[in-house]
Amino acid sequence: MRRDPSVWLLLGLQFLLCFEWVHLDRSAESKPNLRPIYWDVLSYYAYLPALFIEDDLKLTFVEDPNRADVHLHRHRYWPETTPEGDKVIKTTMGVALMISPFFGVAHFLAPVLGHEPDGFSRPYQAAVALAGFVWGCLGLWVLRSWLRSFWGPWMVGLALWVLVGATNLWNYLVYEPAMSHSFSFFWMSVLLWCTHQTMNGTKPSKRYEAGLALALGMLVLIRPTLLIAGLLPLLYTGSSGLRWWWLRLTRNAGHLFLLLFVFLGPFLLQSLYWKYVTGHFLFYSYQGERFFWGDPRISEFLLSYRKGWLLYNPVMVLVIVGWCWALACMIQGWRKGRQASEPFPLAFALTGVLPLVIYVYASWWSWWFGGSLGGRVLVEWYPALVPAGLGVVQGLMGWIHRPLLSDHRALDAMRRWVFGLALLFFLGYTIALQYHQSWQYRIALLHWDATGKDWYRAVWWQSSFPVGLDAMAVPPNGDLARAGQGRRAELWEPSCLGFGSEGPKEVRGLGYTE
């Protein structure tokens, strides 16, 4: 039987990812950007060493003056303080649950290999990095299975290469795999795959429905705002999806309660932790942090030099074109008094979900989400966004290959070559740019949160640090941002791509108050 080319293409991609992942030294103290258990990961991971090594989920040992290693714990645990004075881990425990099997192996091997079994020595660092990498790669395989339900093997295989190579997904699979995004990428892929199998099978499968509920529950446990992903199954086939689920669940109330239990099961563990530590089943652990719903920084979230999603992931312009296409189809259907057919899977769901997601993330006080590369919080949404890009490419190729009269064969051939080469150039450029910028970010040539116009101009396609680069940093003011001020950032200007002879301009002031 002939092999599916998408399998071989994905195997080749996995080999390349493994090669890059293995060749990174993540243990050196002099390379903090490569240490997996660092920055936000400290909070995601804290549940495991606190429970299995310190046997103290209340984190009282962090400030215990009788312990000789108390100075280490203050850097290894970043708890929040409740109004009652208790210590609580800020983030929810979804990532810790997914890391736990790898943590168990590392905890067993650490003394065997001569390392301290303290939760932070080299075996633990490797285990945490491996956990994110493995779950993220598994997500690619699940995503491939879902996409193959709609497109041919070559289209799907090449799309996966572009998805990884041309977006910041590469960074969060290889360089920063322990961040939450590789884990949620996996569950988002599972959510879409189980939704398709549930709604398009010969008969509804309780197994896939349970998988759908579990995937959504784990997404919420990893990042509570991912509850928005629950709209994807509801709108999977447009408005008919709502009717399908209504009839499916109202005809079997017992099954509905079972799915609710599967969905809420993961978060029950979080509630029990909060009850144990704070005395409340529900607790807002992001003390002093909030959304500013009336002041979303949408332009900055999409197009700023600091973290602009489209600026650092230009291939996602295809997704925006797909969104416009889907919206136009919806409007056309309304005018004709009927529901237009979807131009690509999830098209109608995307018209509502994508603006909502961008609005929510842009409303967070720190819309740049700390140190990151190019809108990292959208990485978990990439499985749902891939069909938009694929739909646009397929539609474009169909337009290129539409037949012309015999008198215009030369024009037809020229058109195909021009558009084909333009598409290849665009995709090749986005892959090369992303690979280079991921490397720049890894060595801090692209600043983790203070990149402005002048910094961006100075390091564009550069491989060494320009003189005076530090003076060009435009760091955000966290205290002002938490109060709803100072959340602006310099927006991308097309003219900034044509630089080189002018050199960097004088550094602007930091007064981004509003």
Side-chain angles (χ1 to χ4, degrees):
M1 185 175 64
R2 188 177 181 181
R3 289 285 185 177
D4 187 334
S6 66
V7 172
W8 293 105
L9 286 169
L10 185 49
L11 283 173
L13 177 60
Q14 300 272 252
F15 176 81
L16 179 61
L17 289 170
C18 288
F19 180 82
E20 287 283 329
W21 187 89
V22 168
H23 280 76
L24 289 177
D25 179 10
R26 305 175 188 275
S27 62
E29 291 295 321
S30 61
K31 300 178 181 179
N33 287 345
L34 289 180
R35 290 210 309 273
I37 309 175
Y38 208 58
W39 303 118
D40 289 7
V41 182
L42 289 171
S43 291
Y44 299 137
Y45 174 71
Y47 293 91
L48 297 175
L51 177 61
F52 295 105
I53 296 178
E54 303 296 341
D55 193 25
D56 182 9
L57 281 174
K58 292 188 176 181
L59 304 182
T60 58
F61 61 89
V62 173
E63 296 182 354
D64 185 355
N66 297 321
R67 294 190 53 156
D69 57 356
V70 66
H71 66 287
L72 293 176
H73 290 147
R74 288 171 179 168
H75 296 286
R76 290 174 172 178
Y77 298 87
W78 292 355
E80 294 288 316
T81 303
T82 70
E84 294 77 17
D86 298 316
K87 300 296 182 183
V88 62
I89 299 172
K90 177 193 287 191
T91 59
T92 45
M93 63 175 64
V95 172
L97 283 179
M98 299 185 72
I99 291 175
S100 56
F102 299 83
F103 172 87
V105 174
H107 194 51
F108 172 78
L109 291 178
V112 176
L113 299 176
H115 294 276
E116 189 71 24
D118 60 356
F120 294 88
S121 59
R122 186 162 189 168
Y124 299 94
Q125 299 282 348
V128 170
L130 182 62
F133 181 74
V134 169
W135 284 112
C137 289
L138 287 175
L140 289 173
W141 285 99
V142 178
L143 180 59
R144 186 206 71 86
S145 298
W146 178 59
L147 294 177
R148 281 290 287 117
S149 303
F150 311 103
W151 285 286
W154 285 103
M155 178 75 81
V156 170
L158 293 175
L160 292 174
W161 272 82
V162 173
L163 174 65
V164 174
T167 72
N168 50 354
L169 177 58
W170 173 277
N171 180 76
Y172 291 101
L173 284 177
V174 177
Y175 298 143
E176 297 182 280
M179 294 293 283
S180 66
H181 312 294
S182 57
F183 303 98
S184 48
F185 178 89
F186 167 79
W187 286 112
M188 187 70 76
S189 300
V190 172
L191 178 73
L192 295 172
W193 168 240
C194 289
T195 298
H196 179 79
Q197 292 298 103
T198 297
M199 300 182 67
N200 292 275
T202 54
K203 62 179 181 178
S205 170
K206 294 182 180 180
R207 178 181 60 180
Y208 287 114
E209 288 179 354
L212 186 160
L214 178 62
L216 184 58
M218 286 299 300
L219 284 170
V220 175
L221 190 59
I222 292 172
R223 188 182 295 275
T225 51
L226 287 174
L227 182 61
I228 301 171
L231 294 174
L232 297 177
L234 294 178
L235 301 175
Y236 190 74
T237 55
S239 60
S240 61
L242 288 171
R243 292 194 298 269
W244 189 96
W245 281 107
W246 174 258
L247 293 175
R248 171 67 179 150
L249 297 178
T250 55
R251 290 175 179 176
N252 190 343
H255 186 54
L256 170 61
F257 284 111
L258 177 61
L259 292 181
L260 283 176
F261 176 78
V262 174
F263 164 65
L264 294 174
F267 209 82
L268 177 61
L269 296 174
Q270 186 67 44
S271 294
L272 292 175
Y273 165 75
W274 281 333
K275 178 65 175 177
Y276 174 68
V277 173
T278 70
H280 306 282
F281 282 109
L282 291 176
F283 180 78
Y284 186 71
S285 55
Y286 285 76
Q287 298 290 293
E289 304 180 53
R290 54 168 290 195
F291 291 92
F292 292 92
W293 301 113
D295 185 32
R297 311 311 304 185
I298 295 176
S299 297
E300 284 90 344
F301 183 81
L302 295 177
L303 291 171
S304 70
Y305 291 102
R306 186 181 298 168
K307 296 296 171 189
W309 179 56
L310 294 179
L311 177 62
Y312 289 95
N313 304 276
V315 74
M316 286 299 166
V317 171
L318 295 176
V319 171
I320 302 302
V321 173
W323 181 85
C324 295
W325 181 16
L327 183 63
C329 290
M330 287 185 63
I331 295 174
Q332 184 180 20
W334 291 337
R335 288 178 176 177
K336 294 182 178 179
R338 59 179 176 80
Q339 180 181 348
S341 59
E342 289 193 316
F344 52 84
L346 280 182
F348 293 165
L350 185 66
T351 58
V353 172
L354 181 58
L356 177 60
V357 169
I358 292 175
Y359 169 73
V360 169
Y361 291 151
S363 298
W364 184 239
W365 73 270
S366 174
W367 54 262
W368 58 94
F369 288 86
S372 62
L373 177 64
R376 64 181 172 90
V377 288
L378 286 180
V379 168
E380 44 259 59
W381 289 95
Y382 287 171
L385 300 182
V386 168
L390 273 172
V392 168
V393 172
Q394 187 180 49
L396 177 62
M397 297 303 295
W399 181 84
I400 293 174
H401 286 84
R402 74 185 192 280
L404 292 178
L405 298 176
S406 58
D407 295 339
H408 299 86
R409 288 182 178 176
L411 177 62
D412 179 42
M414 182 179 70
R415 182 188 62 194
R416 295 184 183 187
W417 275 101
V418 169
F419 279 93
L421 291 175
L423 180 62
L424 288 176
F425 174 80
F426 173 73
L427 295 179
Y429 167 77
T430 57
I431 292 174
L433 176 67
Q434 184 60 233
Y435 185 83
H436 185 68
Q437 290 188 335
S438 294
W439 174 80
Q440 287 183 317
Y441 175 72
R442 176 167 65 89
I443 66 171
L445 190 54
L446 267 178
H447 202 282
W448 52 88
D449 70 354
T451 299
K453 176 181 177 180
D454 296 319
W455 185 300
Y456 190 84
R457 286 167 55 97
V459 303
W460 176 259
W461 285 109
Q462 299 299 309
S463 300
S464 59
F465 287 82
V467 176
L469 186 62
D470 289 343
M472 303 177 197
V474 188
N477 188 315
D479 294 332
L480 282 178
R482 284 184 177 87
Q485 303 176 6
R487 297 173 65 235
R488 291 182 181 175
E490 293 177 299
L491 298 180
W492 174 70
E493 299 173 6
S495 60
C496 289
L497 297 183
F499 58 80
S501 58
E502 299 180 24
K505 295 182 179 179
E506 183 179 353
V507 182
R508 298 183 180 182
L510 306 182
Y512 288 145
T513 57
E514 301 167 16

